[in-house]
Amino acid sequence: MPNARPSEGPSGPDLLIRRGRVHGRDGLVDLWVRGGKVAAVVPSGEAPGPTGPNGTAAGPDPAPEVLDAGGGLVSRSFTEPHYHPDKAYSRALAPAGARDSFERARLIKAGFTVEDVTERATRALRLASANGVTRLRANVDVDSVSGLRGFHGVLAARERVAHLLDVEIVAFPQEGLARDPESRALLAEALASGADLIGGWPNVEDGAEAQRAHVREVFDLAERFDVGVDIHADCMIDPAETMLEYVAEETIRRGYQGHVLASHCCGLEVYADTDAARVVAKVAEADVRIVVVPLNLLDGGPRGLSRPRELMAAGAVVAAGSDNMNDGWYPLGTLDPLDRAQMAFFGAGFHDEGAVDTAWEMVCGQASAAVGGRPGDIEVGEDADLVLFEAPDRATALANAPSTRTTLRRGRVVSRRNTAARAAAEPVRP
Protein backbone atom coordinates (compact mmCIF):
# COMPACT_ATOMS: atom_id res chain seq x y z
CA MET A 1 0.00 0.00 0.00
CA PRO A 2 1.35 3.47 -0.80
CA ASN A 3 2.22 5.79 1.98
CA ALA A 4 -0.54 8.23 2.88
CA ARG A 5 0.11 11.08 5.24
CA PRO A 6 -2.09 11.19 8.35
CA SER A 7 -4.42 14.15 8.24
CA GLU A 8 -6.77 15.73 10.71
CA GLY A 9 -10.42 16.61 10.53
CA PRO A 10 -13.82 15.05 11.10
CA SER A 11 -14.35 13.76 7.57
CA GLY A 12 -12.13 12.89 4.68
CA PRO A 13 -11.88 13.61 0.97
CA ASP A 14 -13.42 11.31 -1.62
CA LEU A 15 -11.43 8.10 -1.56
CA LEU A 16 -11.17 4.81 -3.41
CA ILE A 17 -9.71 1.77 -1.64
CA ARG A 18 -8.78 -0.66 -4.39
CA ARG A 19 -8.31 -4.43 -4.34
CA GLY A 20 -9.28 -5.12 -0.76
CA ARG A 21 -10.87 -8.13 0.87
CA VAL A 22 -13.93 -7.71 3.08
CA HIS A 23 -14.92 -10.54 5.40
CA GLY A 24 -17.96 -12.40 4.09
CA ARG A 25 -17.52 -11.28 0.48
CA ASP A 26 -15.92 -13.30 -2.29
CA GLY A 27 -12.96 -11.99 -4.23
CA LEU A 28 -11.38 -8.56 -4.31
CA VAL A 29 -13.53 -5.48 -3.82
CA ASP A 30 -13.24 -1.71 -4.15
CA LEU A 31 -14.59 0.52 -1.40
CA TRP A 32 -15.74 4.01 -2.33
CA VAL A 33 -15.80 6.71 0.34
CA ARG A 34 -17.76 9.95 0.03
CA GLY A 35 -17.96 12.62 2.71
CA GLY A 36 -16.29 10.40 5.25
CA LYS A 37 -18.77 7.52 4.79
CA VAL A 38 -18.64 4.20 2.97
CA ALA A 39 -20.57 4.91 -0.22
CA ALA A 40 -20.21 1.59 -2.05
CA VAL A 41 -18.52 -1.80 -1.90
CA VAL A 42 -18.27 -3.35 -5.36
CA PRO A 43 -16.24 -6.05 -7.14
CA SER A 44 -12.80 -4.71 -7.86
CA GLY A 45 -12.69 -2.69 -11.07
CA GLU A 46 -16.46 -2.29 -11.27
CA ALA A 47 -17.75 1.26 -11.26
CA PRO A 48 -20.48 1.99 -8.72
CA GLY A 49 -23.78 3.44 -9.85
CA PRO A 50 -24.71 7.09 -9.27
CA THR A 51 -26.15 6.07 -5.91
CA GLY A 52 -25.23 3.21 -3.66
CA PRO A 53 -27.40 1.18 -1.31
CA ASN A 54 -29.37 3.18 1.25
CA GLY A 55 -29.38 6.10 -1.20
CA THR A 56 -25.75 6.95 -0.43
CA ALA A 57 -24.13 8.82 -3.29
CA ALA A 58 -21.26 6.78 -4.69
CA GLY A 59 -20.51 9.16 -7.52
CA PRO A 60 -19.52 8.20 -11.04
CA ASP A 61 -16.23 10.09 -11.04
CA PRO A 62 -12.92 8.53 -10.03
CA ALA A 63 -11.92 9.28 -6.45
CA PRO A 64 -9.20 11.94 -6.16
CA GLU A 65 -7.31 9.79 -3.63
CA VAL A 66 -6.58 6.07 -4.06
CA LEU A 67 -5.30 3.50 -1.61
CA ASP A 68 -4.31 0.11 -2.99
CA ALA A 69 -5.05 -2.56 -0.38
CA GLY A 70 -3.05 -5.05 -2.42
CA GLY A 71 -5.33 -7.96 -1.60
CA GLY A 72 -5.26 -7.27 2.11
CA LEU A 73 -8.17 -7.36 4.54
CA VAL A 74 -10.23 -4.20 4.96
CA SER A 75 -12.13 -4.29 8.24
CA ARG A 76 -14.33 -2.04 10.23
CA SER A 77 -12.16 -0.33 12.85
CA PHE A 78 -11.91 -1.57 16.44
CA THR A 79 -13.55 -0.38 19.64
CA GLU A 80 -11.78 -0.42 23.01
CA PRO A 81 -14.66 -0.79 25.51
CA HIS A 82 -12.73 -0.73 28.79
CA TYR A 83 -9.48 1.12 29.48
CA HIS A 84 -7.97 3.38 32.19
CA PRO A 85 -5.91 6.01 30.32
CA ASP A 86 -5.32 8.20 33.37
CA LYS A 87 -3.00 5.46 34.66
CA ALA A 88 -1.20 4.72 31.38
CA TYR A 89 2.60 4.52 31.51
CA SER A 90 2.62 5.32 35.23
CA ARG A 91 4.37 2.18 36.44
CA ALA A 92 7.68 3.99 36.79
CA LEU A 93 6.05 6.42 39.24
CA ALA A 94 5.34 3.66 41.76
CA PRO A 95 7.14 4.04 45.10
CA ALA A 96 8.77 0.95 46.56
CA GLY A 97 7.08 -1.15 49.20
CA ALA A 98 3.48 -1.37 48.02
CA ARG A 99 1.78 -4.46 49.42
CA ASP A 100 -0.45 -5.14 46.41
CA SER A 101 -1.70 -3.69 43.13
CA PHE A 102 -4.46 -1.70 44.82
CA GLU A 103 -2.03 0.08 47.13
CA ARG A 104 0.52 0.58 44.36
CA ALA A 105 -2.10 2.18 42.13
CA ARG A 106 -3.31 4.41 44.97
CA LEU A 107 0.21 5.62 45.75
CA ILE A 108 0.86 6.38 42.09
CA LYS A 109 -2.30 8.41 41.52
CA ALA A 110 -1.73 10.44 44.67
CA GLY A 111 1.04 12.12 42.67
CA PHE A 112 -0.99 12.78 39.52
CA THR A 113 -0.97 16.23 37.97
CA VAL A 114 -3.28 17.34 35.18
CA GLU A 115 -0.32 17.90 32.89
CA ASP A 116 1.22 14.51 33.65
CA VAL A 117 -2.05 12.66 33.03
CA THR A 118 -2.64 14.60 29.82
CA GLU A 119 0.72 13.61 28.37
CA ARG A 120 0.53 9.94 29.34
CA ALA A 121 -3.10 9.53 28.29
CA THR A 122 -2.44 11.22 24.94
CA ARG A 123 0.43 8.82 24.31
CA ALA A 124 -1.81 5.84 25.08
CA LEU A 125 -4.70 7.09 22.95
CA ARG A 126 -2.38 7.64 20.00
CA LEU A 127 -1.15 4.07 20.41
CA ALA A 128 -4.75 2.82 20.37
CA SER A 129 -5.31 4.69 17.10
CA ALA A 130 -2.20 3.15 15.56
CA ASN A 131 -3.62 -0.26 16.48
CA GLY A 132 -6.85 0.43 14.62
CA VAL A 133 -9.09 1.81 17.40
CA THR A 134 -11.46 4.66 16.53
CA ARG A 135 -13.71 4.49 19.62
CA LEU A 136 -12.60 4.06 23.21
CA ARG A 137 -14.35 4.10 26.57
CA ALA A 138 -12.10 5.55 29.26
CA ASN A 139 -12.57 4.79 32.94
CA VAL A 140 -11.01 7.60 34.98
CA ASP A 141 -10.54 7.55 38.76
CA VAL A 142 -12.54 10.24 40.56
CA ASP A 143 -11.98 10.02 44.30
CA SER A 144 -10.37 11.65 47.32
CA VAL A 145 -6.90 10.40 46.32
CA SER A 146 -6.62 11.83 42.80
CA GLY A 147 -9.45 14.36 43.01
CA LEU A 148 -10.37 15.56 39.53
CA ARG A 149 -6.79 15.71 38.26
CA GLY A 150 -7.05 12.50 36.28
CA PHE A 151 -10.43 13.52 34.90
CA HIS A 152 -9.21 16.92 33.68
CA GLY A 153 -6.07 15.31 32.25
CA VAL A 154 -8.08 12.83 30.21
CA LEU A 155 -10.48 15.57 29.10
CA ALA A 156 -7.49 17.46 27.71
CA ALA A 157 -6.09 14.32 26.08
CA ARG A 158 -9.46 13.65 24.47
CA GLU A 159 -9.32 17.05 22.79
CA ARG A 160 -5.82 16.37 21.50
CA VAL A 161 -6.84 13.13 19.78
CA ALA A 162 -10.34 14.10 18.65
CA HIS A 163 -9.29 13.67 15.01
CA LEU A 164 -8.12 10.12 15.72
CA LEU A 165 -10.86 8.55 17.79
CA ASP A 166 -13.96 9.15 19.88
CA VAL A 167 -13.37 8.91 23.63
CA GLU A 168 -16.16 8.47 26.19
CA ILE A 169 -15.24 9.19 29.80
CA VAL A 170 -16.55 7.20 32.75
CA ALA A 171 -16.29 8.88 36.17
CA PHE A 172 -15.06 5.90 38.18
CA PRO A 173 -15.04 5.75 42.03
CA GLN A 174 -12.07 3.38 42.37
CA GLU A 175 -11.93 3.79 46.14
CA GLY A 176 -15.64 3.16 46.70
CA LEU A 177 -18.50 5.36 47.88
CA ALA A 178 -19.13 4.35 51.48
CA ARG A 179 -15.39 3.81 51.96
CA ASP A 180 -14.56 7.13 50.32
CA PRO A 181 -17.47 9.53 50.93
CA GLU A 182 -15.57 12.50 49.48
CA SER A 183 -15.86 10.88 46.07
CA ARG A 184 -19.61 11.58 45.93
CA ALA A 185 -19.31 15.33 45.39
CA LEU A 186 -16.38 14.82 43.01
CA LEU A 187 -18.35 12.37 40.88
CA ALA A 188 -21.24 14.83 40.62
CA GLU A 189 -18.81 17.57 39.59
CA ALA A 190 -17.23 15.34 36.94
CA LEU A 191 -20.65 14.40 35.55
CA ALA A 192 -21.59 18.06 35.40
CA SER A 193 -18.29 18.89 33.69
CA GLY A 194 -18.17 16.49 30.76
CA ALA A 195 -18.06 12.89 31.99
CA ASP A 196 -20.28 10.75 29.76
CA LEU A 197 -21.11 7.90 32.14
CA ILE A 198 -21.04 6.98 35.82
CA GLY A 199 -18.88 4.09 36.94
CA GLY A 200 -18.78 1.96 40.03
CA TRP A 201 -17.10 -0.90 41.85
CA PRO A 202 -19.48 -2.27 44.49
CA ASN A 203 -17.25 -5.16 45.54
CA VAL A 204 -14.74 -2.76 47.07
CA GLU A 205 -17.23 -1.89 49.83
CA ASP A 206 -17.36 -3.72 53.16
CA GLY A 207 -20.22 -6.20 53.30
CA ALA A 208 -23.08 -7.24 51.01
CA GLU A 209 -25.50 -4.49 52.03
CA ALA A 210 -22.89 -1.76 51.47
CA GLN A 211 -22.17 -3.28 48.07
CA ARG A 212 -25.84 -3.25 47.08
CA ALA A 213 -26.14 0.34 48.35
CA HIS A 214 -23.17 1.25 46.13
CA VAL A 215 -25.01 -0.14 43.09
CA ARG A 216 -28.18 1.78 43.96
CA GLU A 217 -26.24 5.01 44.43
CA VAL A 218 -24.55 4.59 41.06
CA PHE A 219 -27.95 4.24 39.40
CA ASP A 220 -29.19 7.27 41.36
CA LEU A 221 -26.39 9.34 39.85
CA ALA A 222 -27.10 7.91 36.40
CA GLU A 223 -30.73 8.99 36.66
CA ARG A 224 -29.84 12.39 38.11
CA PHE A 225 -27.46 13.21 35.23
CA ASP A 226 -29.23 11.18 32.54
CA VAL A 227 -26.18 9.06 31.69
CA GLY A 228 -25.41 5.40 31.24
CA VAL A 229 -23.79 3.08 33.78
CA ASP A 230 -20.38 1.41 33.32
CA ILE A 231 -19.66 -0.68 36.39
CA HIS A 232 -16.84 -2.96 37.52
CA ALA A 233 -18.47 -6.09 38.97
CA ASP A 234 -17.03 -9.17 40.65
CA CYS A 235 -13.40 -8.67 39.71
CA MET A 236 -12.09 -11.80 41.45
CA ILE A 237 -12.62 -15.54 40.95
CA ASP A 238 -14.60 -15.90 44.12
CA PRO A 239 -18.14 -17.32 44.44
CA ALA A 240 -18.78 -14.72 47.15
CA GLU A 241 -18.54 -11.99 44.47
CA THR A 242 -22.20 -11.71 43.49
CA MET A 243 -22.85 -8.15 42.38
CA LEU A 244 -23.39 -8.92 38.68
CA GLU A 245 -26.78 -10.44 39.44
CA TYR A 246 -27.76 -7.46 41.58
CA VAL A 247 -26.65 -5.05 38.83
CA ALA A 248 -28.88 -6.92 36.37
CA GLU A 249 -31.81 -6.78 38.79
CA GLU A 250 -31.33 -3.05 39.40
CA THR A 251 -31.07 -2.48 35.65
CA ILE A 252 -34.51 -4.02 35.19
CA ARG A 253 -35.99 -2.15 38.17
CA ARG A 254 -34.75 1.19 36.80
CA GLY A 255 -35.72 0.50 33.19
CA TYR A 256 -32.07 0.86 32.18
CA GLN A 257 -31.95 -2.11 29.79
CA GLY A 258 -29.33 -1.54 27.11
CA HIS A 259 -27.69 1.32 29.02
CA VAL A 260 -25.51 -0.66 31.44
CA LEU A 261 -22.10 -2.22 30.89
CA ALA A 262 -20.52 -4.54 33.46
CA SER A 263 -16.83 -5.38 33.22
CA HIS A 264 -14.68 -8.22 34.57
CA CYS A 265 -17.52 -10.40 36.00
CA CYS A 266 -15.03 -13.04 37.15
CA GLY A 267 -17.04 -14.46 40.05
CA LEU A 268 -19.46 -15.95 37.52
CA GLU A 269 -16.71 -18.29 36.35
CA VAL A 270 -16.68 -20.26 39.58
CA TYR A 271 -20.37 -20.30 40.47
CA ALA A 272 -22.14 -23.64 40.56
CA ASP A 273 -23.57 -24.27 37.11
CA THR A 274 -27.16 -23.80 38.25
CA ASP A 275 -26.33 -20.45 39.85
CA ALA A 276 -24.33 -19.39 36.81
CA ALA A 277 -27.22 -20.25 34.49
CA ARG A 278 -29.60 -18.12 36.58
CA VAL A 279 -27.27 -15.12 36.53
CA VAL A 280 -26.53 -15.47 32.80
CA ALA A 281 -30.27 -15.53 32.04
CA LYS A 282 -30.83 -12.44 34.17
CA VAL A 283 -27.97 -10.57 32.47
CA ALA A 284 -29.47 -11.38 29.07
CA GLU A 285 -32.94 -10.31 30.21
CA ALA A 286 -31.55 -7.00 31.50
CA ASP A 287 -29.50 -6.46 28.32
CA VAL A 288 -26.45 -5.69 30.45
CA ARG A 289 -23.45 -5.57 28.12
CA ILE A 290 -20.46 -7.58 29.37
CA VAL A 291 -16.79 -6.75 28.88
CA VAL A 292 -14.35 -9.47 29.86
CA VAL A 293 -10.70 -8.63 30.42
CA PRO A 294 -8.26 -11.21 29.04
CA LEU A 295 -5.41 -9.58 30.99
CA ASN A 296 -7.15 -10.83 34.12
CA LEU A 297 -5.57 -14.17 33.26
CA LEU A 298 -2.20 -12.60 34.04
CA ASP A 299 -3.13 -10.57 37.09
CA GLY A 300 -2.23 -11.65 40.61
CA GLY A 301 -5.91 -12.00 41.62
CA PRO A 302 -6.87 -14.81 41.28
CA ARG A 303 -9.04 -13.55 38.43
CA GLY A 304 -10.52 -15.07 35.31
CA LEU A 305 -12.45 -14.57 32.10
CA SER A 306 -16.07 -15.04 33.17
CA ARG A 307 -18.24 -17.35 31.00
CA PRO A 308 -18.29 -15.64 27.60
CA ARG A 309 -19.59 -18.63 25.66
CA GLU A 310 -22.59 -19.14 27.97
CA LEU A 311 -23.33 -15.41 27.95
CA MET A 312 -23.19 -15.26 24.16
CA ALA A 313 -25.42 -18.33 23.86
CA ALA A 314 -28.00 -16.57 26.04
CA GLY A 315 -27.97 -13.55 23.72
CA ALA A 316 -25.83 -11.19 25.78
CA VAL A 317 -23.41 -8.78 24.13
CA VAL A 318 -19.88 -9.81 25.16
CA ALA A 319 -16.74 -7.84 24.29
CA ALA A 320 -13.10 -7.85 25.36
CA GLY A 321 -11.31 -4.85 26.89
CA SER A 322 -7.73 -3.98 27.81
CA ASP A 323 -8.28 -2.59 31.33
CA ASN A 324 -4.77 -1.32 32.14
CA MET A 325 -1.33 -0.94 30.61
CA ASN A 326 2.04 -0.29 32.22
CA ASP A 327 0.66 1.07 35.48
CA GLY A 328 0.12 0.08 39.09
CA TRP A 329 -2.09 -2.84 38.09
CA TYR A 330 -0.37 -4.35 35.04
CA PRO A 331 3.29 -3.90 34.08
CA LEU A 332 2.63 -4.96 30.47
CA GLY A 333 -0.10 -4.40 27.86
CA THR A 334 -0.18 -3.23 24.26
CA LEU A 335 -3.62 -1.66 23.63
CA ASP A 336 -3.73 -3.87 20.55
CA PRO A 337 -7.25 -5.25 20.00
CA LEU A 338 -5.86 -8.30 18.25
CA ASP A 339 -3.68 -9.15 21.24
CA ARG A 340 -6.68 -9.22 23.54
CA ALA A 341 -8.81 -11.05 20.95
CA GLN A 342 -6.13 -13.72 20.72
CA MET A 343 -5.98 -14.01 24.52
CA ALA A 344 -9.77 -14.31 24.65
CA PHE A 345 -9.64 -16.97 21.93
CA PHE A 346 -7.38 -19.17 24.05
CA GLY A 347 -8.59 -18.17 27.50
CA ALA A 348 -12.28 -18.76 26.76
CA GLY A 349 -11.61 -21.98 24.89
CA PHE A 350 -13.15 -20.89 21.60
CA HIS A 351 -12.73 -23.89 19.32
CA ASP A 352 -15.94 -24.27 17.32
CA GLU A 353 -16.29 -23.39 13.67
CA GLY A 354 -16.32 -19.62 13.47
CA ALA A 355 -14.18 -19.22 16.60
CA VAL A 356 -11.86 -16.75 14.88
CA ASP A 357 -14.83 -14.61 13.94
CA THR A 358 -16.16 -14.77 17.51
CA ALA A 359 -12.85 -13.52 18.91
CA TRP A 360 -12.61 -10.84 16.21
CA GLU A 361 -16.09 -9.54 16.92
CA MET A 362 -15.27 -9.24 20.64
CA VAL A 363 -13.00 -6.32 19.73
CA CYS A 364 -14.90 -5.09 16.68
CA GLY A 365 -18.68 -5.30 16.18
CA GLN A 366 -19.59 -6.67 19.59
CA ALA A 367 -17.24 -4.20 21.28
CA SER A 368 -19.04 -1.43 19.41
CA ALA A 369 -22.41 -2.78 20.52
CA ALA A 370 -21.18 -2.96 24.12
CA VAL A 371 -20.72 0.82 24.18
CA GLY A 372 -23.90 1.69 22.31
CA GLY A 373 -22.80 1.34 18.70
CA ARG A 374 -23.90 -1.12 16.07
CA PRO A 375 -22.65 -4.71 15.71
CA GLY A 376 -21.27 -6.20 12.51
CA ASP A 377 -18.61 -5.31 9.98
CA ILE A 378 -18.51 -2.72 7.17
CA GLU A 379 -21.84 -1.29 6.06
CA VAL A 380 -22.61 1.16 3.28
CA GLY A 381 -23.74 4.50 4.68
CA GLU A 382 -21.69 4.20 7.87
CA ASP A 383 -18.63 6.25 8.81
CA ALA A 384 -15.53 5.10 6.95
CA ASP A 385 -13.72 4.11 10.14
CA LEU A 386 -11.60 1.30 8.75
CA VAL A 387 -8.43 -0.70 9.21
CA LEU A 388 -6.38 -1.96 6.29
CA PHE A 389 -4.14 -5.00 6.75
CA GLU A 390 -1.59 -6.64 4.52
CA ALA A 391 -2.91 -9.93 5.91
CA PRO A 392 -5.59 -11.34 3.59
CA ASP A 393 -8.08 -12.53 6.23
CA ARG A 394 -9.04 -12.39 9.89
CA ALA A 395 -7.25 -15.60 10.90
CA THR A 396 -3.92 -14.42 9.48
CA ALA A 397 -4.30 -10.99 11.04
CA LEU A 398 -5.34 -12.47 14.39
CA ALA A 399 -2.22 -14.63 14.36
CA ASN A 400 -0.33 -11.30 14.39
CA ALA A 401 1.55 -12.09 11.22
CA PRO A 402 4.05 -9.28 10.53
CA SER A 403 2.38 -6.67 8.35
CA THR A 404 1.40 -3.05 7.95
CA ARG A 405 -1.78 -1.78 9.60
CA THR A 406 -3.40 1.46 8.46
CA THR A 407 -6.22 3.21 10.35
CA LEU A 408 -8.76 5.42 8.59
CA ARG A 409 -11.00 7.76 10.54
CA ARG A 410 -14.00 8.99 8.53
CA GLY A 411 -12.17 8.38 5.29
CA ARG A 412 -8.82 9.88 6.26
CA VAL A 413 -5.65 7.97 7.01
CA VAL A 414 -4.79 8.95 10.57
CA SER A 415 -2.37 6.26 11.77
CA ARG A 416 -0.04 3.61 10.45
CA ARG A 417 1.99 0.92 12.16
CA ASN A 418 4.48 -1.56 10.71
CA THR A 419 4.98 -4.80 12.63
CA ALA A 420 7.13 -6.22 9.84
CA ALA A 421 9.93 -3.88 10.88
CA ARG A 422 9.61 -5.11 14.46
CA ALA A 423 9.75 -8.74 13.34
CA ALA A 424 12.89 -8.09 11.30
CA ALA A 425 14.73 -6.51 14.21
CA GLU A 426 17.57 -8.28 16.02
CA PRO A 427 16.08 -10.68 18.62
CA VAL A 428 16.40 -9.80 22.26
CA ARG A 429 19.04 -11.90 23.97
CA PRO A 430 18.13 -13.43 27.38
Side-chain angles (χ1 to χ4, degrees), residues 58-128:
D61 299 325
E65 183 178 352
V66 177
L67 287 177
D68 189 346
L73 177 69
V74 183
S75 171
R76 182 184 181 185
S77 61
F78 300 119
T79 294
E80 170 55 75
H82 182 82
Y83 181 56
H84 294 262
D86 54 325
K87 301 169 184 174
Y89 301 112
S90 65
R91 185 82 176 187
L93 305 177
R99 292 169 296 180
D100 54 32
S101 296
F102 201 115
E103 184 179 25
R104 184 186 304 112
R106 184 186 296 117
L107 292 171
I108 290 172
K109 71 182 176 182
F112 280 0
T113 67
V114 173
E115 294 75 16
D116 161 61
V117 172
T118 300
E119 294 302 321
R120 290 186 290 96
T122 299
R123 178 183 170 193
L125 296 174
R126 289 186 180 279
L127 175 63

Side-chain angles (χ1 to χ4, degrees), residues 149-165:
R149 297 188 298 277
F151 169 68
H152 286 299
V154 175
L155 271 181
R158 177 166 72 176
E159 291 303 312
R160 289 188 180 184
V161 301
H163 62 293
L164 301 178
L165 70 168

